[in-house]
């Protein structure tokens, strides 16, 4: 089995790789297939390239939102699944950052056509990527609070 850090890093590179490393072959190939299917049908790579080149209007024209809306949840679920199956103990609520990350990226994607900073639209790639940060933070805060409350209740019962 891989470490949790290695699982996350391979999942960031391509969802499904960490599952294959963890010997969950069927699951790994399903995630790779879904990644490929969504990526191709949403024109995601072309939109990423246009965004990184500063061609935000072109990225908006290229991207297929109907397909790209699936991407955050599949991507974050594959990461959580790899994290959960990797060696080492996982908190029962360790999924919170992944779930909130997926929600916030999806919302960021939906608002990307109208969201502006100093009058500049960031596009269908940068807005969702930046939306991940508050999603992860809120997920970690909720996880931390629940974790602390459970510890406190456990200590109080003794």
């Amino acid at each position: 089995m891989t470490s949790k850090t290695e699982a996350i890093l391979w999942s960031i590179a391509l969802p499904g790789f960490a599952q294959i490393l963890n010997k969950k072959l069927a699951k790994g190939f399903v995630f790779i297939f879904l990644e490929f299917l969504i990526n191709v049908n949403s024109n995601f790579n072309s939109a990423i390239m246009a965004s990184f080149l500063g061609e935000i209007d072109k990225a908006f024209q290229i991207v297929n939102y109907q397909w790209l809306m699936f991407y955050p949840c599949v991507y974050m679920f594959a990461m959580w699944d790899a994290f959960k199956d990797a060696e080492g103990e996982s908190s029962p609520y360790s999924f919170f950052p992944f779930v909130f990350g997926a929600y916030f990226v999806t919302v960021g994607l939906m608002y990307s056509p109208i969201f502006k900073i100093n009058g500049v639209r960031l596009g269908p790639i940068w807005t969702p990527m930046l939306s991940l940060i508050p999603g992860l933070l809120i997920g970690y805060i909720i996880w931390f609070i629940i974790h602390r409350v459970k510890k406190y209740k456990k200590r109080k019962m003794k």
Side-chain angles (χ1 to χ4, degrees), residues 51-105:
S51 293
F52 273 73
L53 294 173
E55 300 170 343
I56 302 303
D57 288 333
K58 184 177 178 182
F60 277 119
Q61 292 169 1
I62 292 170
V63 75
N64 180 332
Y65 282 91
Q66 295 300 315
W67 276 96
L68 193 54
M69 292 291 289
F70 289 108
Y71 196 80
C73 290
V74 170
Y75 192 82
M76 295 303 286
F77 180 77
M79 285 178 63
W80 171 76
D81 182 72
F83 178 84
K84 172 183 63 77
D85 286 347
E87 67 184 28
E89 194 172 318
S90 293
S91 160
Y93 301 100
S94 61
F95 62 88
F96 273 109
F98 297 97
V99 169
F100 279 87
Y103 290 154
F104 274 68
V105 170

